[in-house]
Amino acid sequence: MFAQRYVIGNDKRIGSEAPVRARLRGQNTDRRAMDMRVSEETAHNNELTMTEERKITSTPVMEFYRDKCVLITGGTGFIGRLLIEKMLRINVRQIILLSRPKKGKTVQERCDDLFSSVVFMNLKKEFPTFTERVKLIDGDLQHPSLGLSEESIEFIVNNAQIVLHAASDVRFDQALKKAIEVNVRGTRDLLRLTERIVNLQVFIYISTAYSNCPQSVIKETFYPPPSDPQSMINLVEAMDERFEEHMNKTVNDFIHPWPNTYVYTKALTEDIVRQYGQLLPVAVVRPSIVIATNEEPIGGWTDNIYGLNGVIAGVALGIIRIMHVDDNNAADIIPADYVVNAVLAAGWQTYIERFIYHHLRKHERPLPATQSNGELKGVAKPRTKIYNCVTGSDNPISYQKIYEYSIEVGKSCPPKKSLWIVCHNTTKSKYMYEFYKLLYHLLPAFLIDTYLRAIRRTPRIMDLYRKVHKFATVIEYFANGKWTFENENMRSLRERLSPDDQIMFPCNVKKLVWVDYFWTYIHGLRKHIANEPLENLDEAIKRHKQMRILHFFILVAYYSVCALILFYLAKAVGILLF
């Protein structure tokens, strides 16, 4: 078999998955009743979690962040919003948020746009005036010196204590010039600013686990950069339009063996962080493929269709029917709230290690007992730690399981606005993928667009599949690659958290039950990406039942036509002798 078609057969119930899988299937129960019961269970579990959290008013990590002034970049992005929500919930004194200015919008209007997100719904109930603790400052990583005014620089230098750098241009197909300006030069300029901060306690850089993807084994260490970062900054700053156009045409050869400008510039940026880490209290967190939240502040929340989110949404909407992927590969995915908690825990540990080091240096006796480099014997200078925030080492899940869980859950909550029912296939063969792409995507799209033209409506399906195939090309490198991520630093960090911190800042992926998570995840995608309310669920299920019947008849007609075409083609070229 060249392609694997996902059809859920008889369930081999293993261990603790059995009762959950039975619930997912909804055997011998009405689906609506099942959804209501699950909603009640989810609400009950959330209530227990929130109650448990409310009982905890002080932990080592919470005390570190309490009453601090935190500078955040990328606060309007996916991870950034979750960081802001979490830090406001644990009572930081102030958040300084670097935000690109928008024409025609005041600072207050931009604040209102940011905090209108459902992510801040619970926060508004607990802390109605929380926006007073957020100060927006106009800044842009693409501009030299972050585009900051002297007044803004002075405010940051005199007030910020913690810097969380979550901003980056995450588009895989971004032009090299802009990717370097934002990701590399922007980080360099932020670190230059950080050097001047009077009461700096820690700087955390959020990178990616795939920054060194040409390596098959990725350790929690710095790797030699693909080029000198400063030289690359100088290069793009000297580019004229003609040179930039030439570079865009040859960029894949230039950045090889890195597959795209995003991971290439992340590798460059990590080397800049390494250099500044020799002087500043710095840590690097490398998350793998970040997907929707597990619990905090709400389960299943996401605001983008990057990576796996886009694949699952495309499959659920009946758009993606074939993928070039090795089903047996481990998909190193991690919920966004686990990443946020890991970042905050890493910030705490970085500060503690630096504090202990400087305390011992100050009180160590006798003073003359030093090494040639000036360090005290027995007092190791803390190095810049890297935390690979991944799941593959501790709680792996294959693409096959992802598709099985997603499709099974999707049966109870299909989107009403889908193009068609779920008909998902995969293949490891690049050649068979191209064939199936023609068969499952392009030919049906051509027929639908021809029909739309015939009834004088705008054809749009072929354009849709051009975007889908561009997206598929971008992610297939990661879907078919194999990596081993070492994560001893991350494991050590989890173990150092107090029992209360493990409740307040859950980041132990070993405790993540994938089959339960995907129930939350798929419902979250339906609500937050497809923007479909629970109220239309009955209509959606009825529509999908009708489409399944129609799908059967269309398949019969479709393959009959294909067979006839092949028959007459073969006859025309003389292959058939009768």
Side-chain angles (χ1 to χ4, degrees):
M1 292 285 292
F2 287 102
Q4 174 65 46
R5 187 177 182 86
Y6 283 95
V7 180
I8 309 300
N10 293 328
D11 188 8
K12 296 181 179 179
R13 302 183 180 183
I14 302 174
S16 62
E17 287 191 6
V20 186
R21 292 297 296 275
R23 188 186 72 216
L24 290 180
R25 291 177 181 282
Q27 293 175 341
N28 301 320
T29 185
D30 177 74
R31 278 183 172 173
R32 175 55 116 175
M34 175 182 64
D35 281 310
M36 290 178 64
R37 185 173 71 251
V38 171
S39 296
E40 291 171 358
E41 290 176 1
T42 303
H44 176 65
N45 290 337
N46 288 341
E47 184 180 347
L48 288 176
T49 302
M50 294 302 294
T51 302
E52 197 171 30
E53 284 190 3
R54 288 193 187 102
K55 290 179 182 177
I56 300 171
T57 58
S58 178
T59 72
V61 177
M62 290 174 70
E63 288 305 313
F64 169 62
Y65 288 98
R66 194 187 305 276
D67 293 327
K68 294 293 194 307
C69 180
V70 184
L71 171 64
I72 295 184
T73 68
T76 57
F78 179 39
I79 292 295
R81 292 188 192 197
L82 295 171
L83 277 170
I84 291 173
E85 192 278 339
K86 182 83 175 191
M87 284 191 297
L88 290 171
R89 190 153 32 102
I90 60 176
N91 287 316
V92 298
R93 174 170 53 86
Q94 185 178 41
I95 290 176
I96 304 171
L97 176 59
L98 256 62
S99 174
R100 287 194 302 271
K102 292 184 178 179
K103 289 184 179 180
K105 287 204 172 184
T106 65
V107 170
Q108 185 59 48
E109 288 172 336
R110 284 153 58 197
C111 262
D112 292 341
D113 288 346
L114 172 62
F115 296 121
S116 64
S117 170
V118 67
V119 167
F120 301 99
M121 178 179 62
N122 292 328
L123 196 63
K124 289 176 182 177
K125 296 176 182 177
E126 292 187 51
F127 306 100
T129 61
F130 74 89
T131 56
E132 296 176 0
R133 289 187 280 154
V134 180
K135 179 179 177 63
L136 254 69
I137 288 182
D138 288 344
D140 191 336
L141 264 69
Q142 191 178 359
H143 293 168
S145 302
L146 309 177
L148 293 170
S149 67
E150 287 300 322
E151 181 184 356
S152 296
I153 290 173
E154 184 180 357
F155 184 85
I156 291 169
V157 167
N158 292 324
N159 289 277
Q161 296 166 281
I162 297 167
V163 181
L164 302 180
H165 183 24
S168 66
D169 192 319
V170 300
R171 284 170 288 190
F172 287 0
D173 58 349
Q174 183 58 271
L176 183 62
K177 177 180 170 65
K178 185 175 180 181
I180 289 177
E181 287 174 341
V182 175
N183 296 345
V184 187
R185 187 180 67 185
T187 302
R188 183 205 64 183
D189 291 351
L190 180 63
L191 282 162
R192 285 179 175 177
L193 176 61
T194 302
E195 272 190 309
R196 298 170 56 187
I197 292 177
V198 176
N199 295 311
L200 178 69
Q201 296 190 0
V202 68
F203 177 101
I204 303 295
Y205 173 58
I206 302 177
S207 184
T208 172
Y210 298 95
S211 56
N212 298 285
C213 55
Q215 307 285 334
S216 58
V217 177
I218 298 177
K219 302 179 180 181
E220 292 174 308
T221 187
F222 289 106
Y223 288 84
S227 305
D228 176 62
Q230 187 57 50
S231 297
M232 292 304 301
I233 292 173
N234 296 339
L235 176 67
V236 300
E237 286 180 338
M239 277 185 184
D240 56 20
E241 290 184 6
R242 185 176 178 182
F243 185 27
E244 183 181 358
E245 184 179 350
H246 172 73
M247 176 62 77
N248 291 338
K249 291 178 181 178
T250 60
V251 66
N252 290 335
D253 294 330
F254 184 83
I255 66 175
H256 183 78
W258 276 261
N260 57 64
T261 56
Y262 171 66
V263 291
Y264 175 80
T265 53
K266 281 292 190 178
L268 293 175
T269 306
E270 283 193 5
D271 193 61
I272 287 181
V273 174
R274 177 193 63 79
Q275 295 172 34
Y276 278 85
Q278 297 173 15
L279 301 172
L280 302 175
V282 172
V284 178
V285 177
R286 289 181 184 154
S288 51
I289 303 170
V290 184
I291 54 176
T293 56
N294 181 47
E295 290 182 339
E296 295 184 272
I298 52 175
W301 179 77
T302 184
D303 66 351
N304 64 77
I305 54 171
Y306 299 135
L308 186 68
N309 290 345
V311 173
I312 299 300
V315 171
L317 292 169
I319 297 170
I320 298 178
R321 300 186 183 93
I322 182 68
M323 286 288 295
H324 178 214
V325 61
D326 184 349
D327 292 339
N328 297 317
N329 268 6
D332 209 302
I333 55 177
I334 187 162
D337 47 340
Y338 277 53
V339 176
V340 166
N341 291 325
V343 167
L344 297 179
W348 163 76
Q349 176 158 289
T350 302
Y351 172 77
I352 293 297
E353 289 178 347
R354 295 278 175 157
F355 175 82
I356 291 172
Y357 168 72
H358 289 297
H359 179 77
L360 290 176
R361 281 201 63 173
K362 184 176 180 180
H363 296 92
E364 187 79 12
R365 295 292 188 271
L367 287 177
T370 59
Q371 299 175 0
S372 60
N373 62 1
E375 296 299 330
L376 293 171
K377 290 182 179 179
V379 184
K381 184 177 181 180
R383 60 185 175 82
T384 298
K385 276 191 176 178
I386 295 176
Y387 299 91
N388 283 344
C389 191
V390 295
T391 56
S393 303
D394 297 323
N395 193 359
I397 182 171
S398 67
Y399 282 102
Q400 181 177 6
K401 282 296 180 185
I402 287 174
Y403 294 137
E404 285 182 3
Y405 292 165
S406 300
I407 292 170
E408 189 61 44
V409 174
K411 290 178 180 178
S412 66
C413 60
K416 183 182 177 182
K417 294 178 288 189
S418 61
L419 179 67
W420 204 244
I421 66 171
V422 173
C423 306
H424 185 57
N425 305 273
T426 64
T427 178
K428 291 187 285 187
S429 168
K430 179 68 173 177
Y431 299 106
M432 293 307 300
Y433 168 70
E434 293 298 329
F435 171 73
Y436 286 126
K437 186 170 75 174
L438 175 66
L439 193 65
Y440 294 153
H441 288 177
L442 298 179
L443 189 53
F446 173 76
L447 295 174
I448 295 172
D449 277 356
T450 301
Y451 170 74
L452 290 173
R453 287 190 183 94
I455 61 173
R456 297 184 179 182
R457 293 181 61 180
T458 305
R460 59 184 185 275
I461 308 301
M462 284 296 286
D463 286 340
L464 172 65
Y465 275 110
R466 287 190 189 98
K467 295 177 183 177
V468 167
H469 295 153
K470 183 180 180 180
F471 169 75
T473 301
V474 164
I475 67 170
E476 70 177 24
Y477 173 89
F478 301 97
N480 292 286
K482 295 184 179 182
W483 292 273
T484 299
F485 297 102
E486 296 185 0
N487 65 335
E488 287 306 314
N489 288 344
M490 191 66 228
R491 288 174 179 170
S492 175
L493 172 60
R494 295 196 304 248
E495 291 170 0
R496 288 193 62 181
L497 293 177
S498 68
D500 283 349
D501 272 326
Q502 290 180 27
I503 293 172
M504 291 300 300
F505 301 90
C507 54
N508 188 351
V509 297
K510 291 182 179 180
K511 296 181 179 180
L512 187 62
V513 181
W514 286 118
V515 71
D516 288 341
Y517 170 76
F518 273 90
W519 182 270
T520 302
Y521 180 44
I522 300 305
H523 282 77
L525 288 179
R526 186 183 193 275
K527 180 177 181 180
H528 302 296
I529 297 300
N531 295 316
E532 299 206 13
L534 188 64
E535 287 73 23
N536 75 355
L537 189 57
D538 287 334
E539 295 176 35
I541 291 174
K542 181 180 178 180
R543 180 173 180 268
H544 270 249
K545 286 180 179 178
Q546 294 170 344
M547 284 198 298
R548 284 193 192 98
I549 297 171
L550 182 59
H551 176 72
F552 173 78
F553 288 106
I554 288 177
L555 277 183
V556 172
Y558 180 72
Y559 285 116
S560 297
V561 170
C562 289
L564 283 172
I565 291 172
L566 289 174
F567 173 80
Y568 285 112
L569 283 175
K571 189 174 182 180
V573 297
I575 295 177
L576 298 179
L577 301 176
F578 55 89

